[in-house]
């Protein structure tokens, strides 16, 4: 199943592999394996703590990492000088198992260093981002000591680089806090595709466990073709899960198309793919605002009209249009599969059709997503 998650797998190749999995374990076993993996992925949580002095850009960074512009619904308020007095949670707008936490400063009157770990439940976070200003503070060192006791990962980020670029030219990038082996990532929450932000994400994800890595990748703003490619690999798993769900639902043939698959599952999965690739209206509007371009300019890069019109009717049209490729493949595969599966003759067809239709469209969605990004970020 892991082998199947490669983004570039072809449909035929994939069904071939499924076929062999299938003959070893039986189709029901394959389906429950796919379901089990998908449920684990959907249940997985990622908790990212962000801490640092007031004014260093924490709120802006939490917004940027959740792909929210300042002032958008759900965005953290920027520019408040008030110290955070409690842990504040910010959910990711598209993935609610991914949360950011703005932690209050350590060593303050309300949060003495020795009680801090307990008071903010330090052991519940997966990783820590310490946003530093132009100097390293004793508070940061105190916090790191606590994080190290918990054997958790922490990262230094210096933000607002676009703003402070001129000052920074006269400084060096080393920090002077006794943690000089640790890199300080230079980022700007206004220009996330630039400076160290992409590399920061790469390093961060490389240190996460498998499912946490997947949801982190899915949660990222679409700022590069590389991000889109990673999302595609995860969406491929979602497609397998949709096919498994279609099998379990025991989809019956669609009138007029004469192939079996569950339209509701297809619609839901297409919408999920569109959203993950940032091709829905909200995402495009938000991206347009971020890069200061008219949304129509970005929309014009989406060449496939189906992407803007995902309904039961249009999905049936897609199925009808792709019956030549998909249904033939599905029927051929079914011919191999029927002797193995025995009585549930209709079901594997619905699995293969669902898989085939979604998999065929995934490339088109990806191409549009990449075109939009190129357009959005071109000078
Ligand atoms: N130009 C620019 N301004 C930023 C950036 N990050 C934050 N700011 C601004 O700097 C101020 C402080 O940022 P904020 O995120 O509220 O800092 P916090 O107190 O650490 O949460 C706000 O006015 C932000 O809009 C950035 O990357 N670039
Ligand atoms: Mg703040």
């Amino acid at each position: 199943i892991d082998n199947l998650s490669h983004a570039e797998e072809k449909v035929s190749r994939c069904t071939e592999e499924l076929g062999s999995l299938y003959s070893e374990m039986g189709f029901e076993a394959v389906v429950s394996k796919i379901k089990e993996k998908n449920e684990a992925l959907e249940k997985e949580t990622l908790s990212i703590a962000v801490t640092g002095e007031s004014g260093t850009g924490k709120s802006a960074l939490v917004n940027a990492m959740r792909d929210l512009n300042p002032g958008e619904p759900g965005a953290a308020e920027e520019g408040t000088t008030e110290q955070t007095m409690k842990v504040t949670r910010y959910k990711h707008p598209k993935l609610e198992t991914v949360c950011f936490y703005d932690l209050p400063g350590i060593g303050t009157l309300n949060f003495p260093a020795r009680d801090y770990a307990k008071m903010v439940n330090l052991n519940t976070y997966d990783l820590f981002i310490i946003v530093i200003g132009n100097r390293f503070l004793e508070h940061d060192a105190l916090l790191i000591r606590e994080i190290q006791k918990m054997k958790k990962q922490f990262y230094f980020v210096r933000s607002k680089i676009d703003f402070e670029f001129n000052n920074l030219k006269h400084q060096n990038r080393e920090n002077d806090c006794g943690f000089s082996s640790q890199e300080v990532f230079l980022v700007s929450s206004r220009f996330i595709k630039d400076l160290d932000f992409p590399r920061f994400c790469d390093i961060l994800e490389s240190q996460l466990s498998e499912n946490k890595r997947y949801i982190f990748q899915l949660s990222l703003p679409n700022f590069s073709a590389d991000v889109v490619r990673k999302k595609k690999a995860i969406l491929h798993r979602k497609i397998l899960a949709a096919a498994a769900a279609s099998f379990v639902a025991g989809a019956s043939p669609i009138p007029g198309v004469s192939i079996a698959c569950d339209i509701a599952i297809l619609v839901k999965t297409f919408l999920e793919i569109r959203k993950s690739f940032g091709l829905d209206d909200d995402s495009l509007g938000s991206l347009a605002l971020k890069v200061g371009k008219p949304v129509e300019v970005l929309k014009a890069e989406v060449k496939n009209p189906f992407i803007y019109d995902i309904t039961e009717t249009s999905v049936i049209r897609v199925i009808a249009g792709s019956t030549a490729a998909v249904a033939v493949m599905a029927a051929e595969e079914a011919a191999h599969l029927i002797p193995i599966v025995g009585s549930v003759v209709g079901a594997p067809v619905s699995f293969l059709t669902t898989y085939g239709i979604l998999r065929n469209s995934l490339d088109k969605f990806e191409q549009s997503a990449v075109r939009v990004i190129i357009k959005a970020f071109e000078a």
Side-chain angles (χ1 to χ4, degrees), residues 63-90:
N63 289 338
M65 292 186 79
R66 294 181 304 149
D67 205 9
L68 287 171
N69 296 308
E72 276 186 330
E77 199 180 332
E78 297 183 18
T80 55
T81 48
E82 196 182 311
Q83 279 291 136
T84 312
M85 295 304 282
K86 56 175 174 45
V87 178
T88 314
R89 182 177 71 170
Y90 296 101

Side-chain angles (χ1 to χ4, degrees), residues 35-70:
K35 278 186 64 185
E36 189 187 301
K37 284 208 156 209
N38 188 54
E39 275 158 20
L41 184 60
E42 281 182 350
K43 272 210 297 265
E44 188 63 79
T45 61
L46 180 62
S47 302
I48 299 178
V50 181
T51 176
E53 283 298 292
S54 171
T56 49
K58 294 182 299 296
S59 300
L61 185 67
V62 165
N63 289 338
M65 292 186 79
R66 294 181 304 149
D67 205 9
L68 287 171
N69 296 308

Side-chain angles (χ1 to χ4, degrees), residues 27 30-32 34-35 239-249 265 351 354:
F27 197 75
V30 172
V31 164
S32 42
I34 291 171
K35 278 186 64 185
I239 287 176
L240 276 177
S246 196
F247 169 84
V248 172
I265 290 171
F351 181 97
T354 304

